[in-house]
Amino acid sequence: MPRPLHRGVSGIRVSGNSNDFWDAEVKDNTEKEDLDRNHSSSQSFLSLRSPFRFFFQDNSPSKYGVTEHGFTADPFGGGTPRSRHRLTMLFLKLSLVVIVILALTGSFWWTISISTSSRGHIFRGYRRLQEQLVSDLWDIGELSLGPSRLKEIEFCSEEFENYIPCFNVSENVALGYSDGNEYDRLCGHGSRKSCLVLPPVNYKIPLRWPTGKEVIWVANVKITGQEVFSSGSLTKRMMMLEEDQISFRSASLMFDGVEDYSHQIAEMIGLRNESNFIQAGVRTILDIGCGYGSFGAHLFSKQLLTMCIANYESSGSQVQLTLERGLPAMIGSFNSKQLPYPSLSFDMLHCARCGVDWDKKADRVLKPGGYFVWTSPLTNVHTFLRDKEKQKRWNFVRDFAENLCWELISQQDETVVWKKTNKKSCYSSRAVGCPDRVIVMYVSRKPGSFPPICSKGQDVESPYYQPLQNCIGGTNSRQWVPIEERATWPFRSNLNKNELELYGLHSEELVVDTANYKTAVRNYWSLLSPLIFSDHPKRPGDEDPSPPYNMFRNVLDMNAHYGGFNAALLEAGKSVWVMNVVPTTGPNYLPLVLDRGYIGVFHNWCEAFPTYPRTYDMVHADGLLSLETSQYRRCTMLDLLTEIDRLLRPEGWVIIHDKAPLIESARALTVQLKWDARVVEIESNSDERLLICQKPFFKRQATS
């Protein structure tokens, strides 16, 4: 059985016994019957064993009945004291019968009123009583099934502290993958582990935002001191190891490299500073090989949302450290697969010494009019003038970018900025290419060769780890709209009528979705506010309160729909970022989510999510159980919940909204996951429930 939640949210419990009223009524009737048995046998026909007997009396020779002496008795006339006593008793009994009849009639109509009302307070109380009874019986029934049914899932061994299914390099090497492909994402049979991942021995709850952006606990990530000191790139070297913490010095006056770098990029685009990126149409940035997220951390203060993406690393992970800082990040497979983003997803792509061949990956996900920023020693003019090989490589990259219809707008030191064309006609104005020439280009780097435009069959709007295409994608997308023609942030989050028509939606649908999630967020915070401190940031000099003191910062929405949950959180003033996931089994609204200025990804929830354990503070799933159970799936609900447990930080929260039977099934499984769980009724909908869960902080015992 789950233990009670910390200090607040609890299940709806109704004190007392629902049978007390019925037991009292039966007791009263029994006492009356005992009293009647004490009367003489001559009064037996007047007993109240049946209150309806007065309406169905025995046949008698007299209109008013027969006395014990054989004379007719007038019930309204005078008589002997004994007869008057009988008449008095008869009158009292008749009165009692009338009262009982009226009481039963009132109770009958009261019951009918309950059954026909769906919104009154009495109905809700009745429903709560009934549902609590069902819930308790469910718990009793689960216990009666024995330990085999409710056996808790075992904890994983220490080697799986940072395990990510589908990225097992040793298994991939054994299967024959090499030349970098062993780091690709390969979700084969058996990649999922049926155990619960424990945190490292010295794991600590992350510091609250914004303190946690600059300081993290070194024990929470898989990195050594040597890896910290040997970090060489611009964004990586902005770290300092201090006892049990890693500090990121991007805000320091002595180490202002990121701020100067961002300012330089803005000037190269023609802007005054990075604060004007929003006015230039830039809101979302994909940072390829992001270091440890310092570039995105700085831009966050400018209302820019930067997604860090990097290859899988067994230790010293860029993605893991960026997520630990409370910044968006995920693992990407760059070698052979397309990224699980729609075409034309981001306003800017950034690659600072990223060590990634971006040529077959960058153009498809960049919006028309978007910017590509590349920082590399290869672009340094003073360097390649003395090195003929570097000069040759730079000429190839420059020509290739031109063939992609990118305009070189500026080059300074080691940084180059290109701008993607706004016009599709640019591609058709080039000489006609063919796949054979593309292959020659990639093998021999023949100048003048260029990739063709993808056919409609090749140009999948939202590919899911499909093989890379040697062609230009996105030209068939309905979302081919230059960034300058879109509304700037934050007005961009409210798409206009014409923009919504691209997705087959009416403005009323988005309005209703937004209103529903506003209400949901208010309800969630009223339930959880006694347990978190998200609305009460730490003041300078204050000590950290006792756990759970970490706020929600990293949020995963497993079934994002139109991005309404993300919008409601931002409108409510919550300092969070949301990974909006659109399941592959449902309608594809991911382009809509990205066009609203949010970040998101396409994903199959029967496979592991491409991130490290302990990534998110909150996991939200609205309608996901209904969506997954309606499909023919190769995974179970327990598989899904086990994956959520891997993604969730200790003391993190899960909110699942779905049909009542599915919620009850999920609630039963939380026992196996060792979660604290409660079911909450939704007053506006009697067929749906909320499942509120918290993952306890189980510490691994240090081995001697």
Side-chain angles (χ1 to χ4, degrees):
M1 295 292 291
R3 61 185 176 85
L5 295 177
H6 305 296
R7 288 195 299 145
V9 179
S10 61
I12 300 173
R13 298 289 177 184
V14 180
S15 60
N17 193 320
S18 62
N19 292 324
D20 289 348
F21 176 79
W22 172 251
D23 292 342
E25 185 177 358
V26 172
K27 181 178 180 181
D28 290 341
N29 289 341
T30 303
E31 291 176 352
K32 292 180 180 68
E33 290 175 359
D34 292 339
L35 179 64
D36 292 339
R37 293 191 189 99
N38 293 331
H39 288 285
S40 63
S41 59
S42 61
Q43 295 175 316
S44 61
F45 74 98
L46 292 174
S47 68
L48 291 177
R49 294 176 184 173
S50 173
F52 300 99
R53 180 153 183 162
F54 288 100
F55 300 98
F56 302 94
Q57 294 194 9
D58 298 335
N59 294 331
S60 62
S62 169
K63 178 180 178 181
Y64 302 108
V66 180
T67 68
E68 63 177 350
H69 301 291
F71 297 98
T72 302
D74 183 356
F76 301 104
T80 64
R82 185 177 183 85
S83 63
R84 286 196 298 272
H85 175 72
R86 291 177 178 174
L87 290 175
T88 302
M89 292 300 298
L90 177 63
F91 178 76
L92 291 174
K93 292 179 179 181
L94 181 61
S95 301
L96 183 59
V97 169
V98 172
I99 292 172
V100 171
I101 292 172
L102 291 175
L104 291 174
T105 304
S107 176
F108 176 72
W109 286 110
W110 180 69
T111 304
I112 291 177
S113 66
I114 289 178
S115 63
T116 56
S117 173
S118 60
R119 296 183 180 179
H121 295 289
I122 294 176
F123 171 76
R124 291 196 294 269
Y126 178 80
R127 294 279 305 188
R128 291 190 185 101
L129 182 63
Q130 184 184 50
E131 288 156 8
Q132 191 56 54
L133 177 61
V134 172
S135 175
D136 292 342
L137 290 175
W138 181 287
D139 293 341
I140 294 171
E142 290 290 335
L143 289 173
S144 67
L145 292 176
S148 60
R149 175 68 179 274
L150 284 178
K151 183 179 179 181
E152 292 184 344
I153 300 176
E154 299 292 334
F155 289 116
C156 300
S157 58
E158 186 176 352
E159 62 183 301
F160 294 106
E161 285 178 355
N162 298 287
Y163 178 73
I164 309 171
C166 307
F167 287 94
N168 192 314
V169 177
S170 59
E171 289 182 2
N172 294 345
V173 170
L175 292 173
Y177 293 94
S178 60
D179 298 329
N181 290 335
E182 66 271 20
Y183 291 94
D184 271 354
R185 176 181 177 274
L186 298 168
C187 290
H189 179 72
S191 61
R192 187 191 300 272
K193 301 298 179 183
S194 56
C195 57
L196 303 181
V197 178
L198 277 176
V201 173
N202 297 319
Y203 181 88
K204 296 181 181 180
I205 300 298
L207 299 173
R208 289 178 300 158
W209 181 270
T211 304
K213 179 181 71 173
E214 305 299 339
V215 180
I216 66 172
W217 303 109
V218 68
N220 289 11
V221 294
K222 190 175 182 181
I223 190 171
T224 64
Q226 182 61 35
E227 287 172 326
V228 174
F229 297 131
S230 63
S231 299
S233 73
L234 172 67
T235 53
K236 284 184 179 180
R237 66 172 176 258
M238 310 299 291
M239 301 193 309
M240 183 166 58
L241 184 62
E242 299 174 345
E243 295 182 358
D244 58 349
Q245 294 179 336
I246 298 176
S247 63
F248 299 85
R249 304 168 291 185
S250 58
S252 170
L253 295 177
M254 294 179 62
F255 299 94
D256 56 353
V258 172
E259 184 173 353
D260 286 348
Y261 176 66
S262 304
H263 190 83
Q264 176 189 354
I265 294 172
E267 289 182 335
M268 293 173 70
I269 292 175
L271 306 174
R272 182 176 180 181
N273 54 49
E274 62 270 34
S275 298
N276 298 115
F277 277 137
I278 293 289
Q279 284 68 38
V282 177
R283 157 66 178 171
T284 56
I285 301 171
L286 182 66
D287 194 0
I288 304 173
C290 57
Y292 298 136
S294 295
F295 183 63
H298 172 68
L299 294 180
F300 180 81
S301 62
K302 314 300 180 184
Q303 300 188 62
L304 300 172
L305 195 57
T306 304
M307 165 71 84
C308 161
I309 186 166
N311 274 318
Y312 170 77
E313 299 167 286
S314 58
S315 65
S317 168
Q318 303 170 66
V319 170
Q320 189 179 39
L321 267 74
T322 301
L323 286 164
E324 193 69 18
R325 299 180 66 183
L327 301 166
M330 64 173 284
I331 299 172
S333 297
F334 292 99
N335 295 322
S336 60
K337 302 292 177 62
Q338 297 187 61
L339 298 174
Y341 307 123
S343 300
L344 318 179
S345 294
F346 296 94
D347 307 314
M348 177 184 285
L349 269 62
H350 175 254
C351 177
R353 300 185 180 180
C354 57
V356 173
D357 294 331
W358 46 262
D359 47 12
K360 292 185 285 185
K361 309 168 183 70
D363 181 79
R364 184 185 68 83
V365 296
L366 186 61
K367 288 182 181 293
Y371 300 94
F372 184 84
V373 181
W374 188 36
T375 297
S376 170
L378 186 64
T379 66
N380 191 314
V381 177
H382 302 291
T383 300
F384 67 63
L385 286 179
R386 297 189 302 268
D387 190 326
K388 296 300 182 182
E389 182 61 29
K390 287 186 177 180
Q391 184 177 6
K392 182 179 179 181
R393 291 172 59 193
W394 162 245
N395 290 337
F396 166 76
V397 171
R398 183 190 58 196
D399 293 342
F400 180 76
E402 183 179 348
N403 286 328
L404 288 173
C405 284
W406 290 2
E407 177 190 359
L408 178 60
I409 61 176
S410 185
Q411 181 176 1
Q412 292 183 18
D413 301 326
E414 295 185 351
T415 301
V416 181
V417 178
W418 285 280
K419 182 178 176 65
K420 182 175 179 176
T421 183
N422 288 333
K423 302 177 181 179
K424 295 182 184 179
S425 59
C426 175
Y427 301 112
S428 59
S429 65
R430 306 170 310 162
V432 178
C434 65
D436 292 338
R437 295 182 66 187
V438 173
I439 294 173
V440 170
M441 178 193 69
Y442 281 108
V443 174
S444 64
R445 299 176 181 261
K446 179 180 178 181
S449 298
F450 49 85
I453 298 175
C454 295
S455 65
K456 288 186 178 181
Q458 294 173 307
D459 198 0
V460 180
E461 186 172 62
S462 296
Y464 185 67
Y465 296 106
Q466 292 189 4
L468 287 170
Q469 301 283 355
N470 291 330
C471 56
I472 297 174
T475 59
N476 296 303
S477 174
R478 297 169 296 174
Q479 287 79 46
W480 185 279
V481 180
I483 61 173
E484 300 93 337
E485 297 179 14
R486 296 182 181 274
T488 58
W489 180 263
F491 307 103
R492 178 170 165 182
S493 62
N494 298 315
L495 300 181
N496 60 41
K497 180 179 179 181
N498 293 333
E499 290 171 325
L500 288 174
E501 286 180 352
L502 295 175
Y503 310 99
L505 293 178
H506 299 289
S507 56
E508 295 80 8
E509 295 178 82
L510 190 62
V511 169
V512 171
D513 182 75
T514 301
N516 289 340
Y517 278 110
K518 284 182 182 179
T519 302
V521 167
R522 285 196 300 268
N523 291 338
Y524 296 162
W525 248 254
S526 66
L527 287 167
L528 301 178
S529 58
L531 305 167
I532 60 175
F533 296 83
S534 60
D535 295 326
H536 306 284
K538 176 185 173 185
R539 294 181 176 87
D542 288 353
E543 292 184 1
D544 289 323
S546 58
Y549 61 81
N550 61 311
M551 65 165 289
F552 295 155
R553 173 61 188 167
N554 300 353
V555 178
L556 174 67
D557 192 359
M558 299 178 71
N559 189 20
H561 302 285
Y562 312 144
F565 184 56
N566 194 156
L569 286 171
L570 295 183
E571 186 164 334
K574 309 304 178 185
S575 184
V576 302
W577 68 271
V578 180
M579 177 66 84
N580 296 280
V581 180
V582 173
T584 57
T585 52
N588 182 15
Y589 289 113
L590 185 56
L592 166 65
V593 171
L594 293 163
D595 282 351
R596 296 184 70 181
Y598 310 138
I599 56 175
V601 68
F602 217 41
H603 186 64
N604 178 357
W605 280 116
C606 273
E607 298 174 350
F609 194 72
T611 190
Y612 289 80
R614 303 173 299 279
T615 291
Y616 294 99
D617 304 306
M618 173 191 274
V619 175
H620 177 256
D622 182 3
L624 181 67
L625 301 182
S626 294
L627 178 64
E628 294 298 323
T629 55
S630 65
Q631 308 288 329
Y632 176 74
R633 312 302 294 153
R634 64 181 184 277
C635 57
T636 65
M637 187 184 296
L638 183 59
D639 292 332
L640 184 63
L641 297 180
T642 305
E643 174 64 6
I644 293 176
D645 184 88
R646 187 184 70 86
L647 301 176
L648 196 63
R649 286 176 173 173
E651 295 185 354
W653 293 87
V654 182
I655 300 178
I656 302 177
H657 175 204
D658 224 300
K659 303 283 181 60
L662 292 172
I663 290 294
E664 289 297 343
S665 298
R667 179 177 182 263
L669 294 175
T670 60
V671 176
Q672 298 179 258
L673 297 165
K674 306 176 180 66
W675 291 354
D676 302 330
R678 289 293 182 271
V679 175
V680 178
E681 182 188 55
I682 301 175
E683 294 187 353
S684 61
N685 193 327
S686 60
D687 297 327
E688 298 178 355
R689 300 288 182 275
L690 283 178
L691 179 62
I692 310 289
C693 307
Q694 186 180 29
K695 176 182 175 179
F697 187 177
F698 292 108
K699 292 188 176 182
R700 183 183 295 280
Q701 299 297 320
T703 56
S704 56

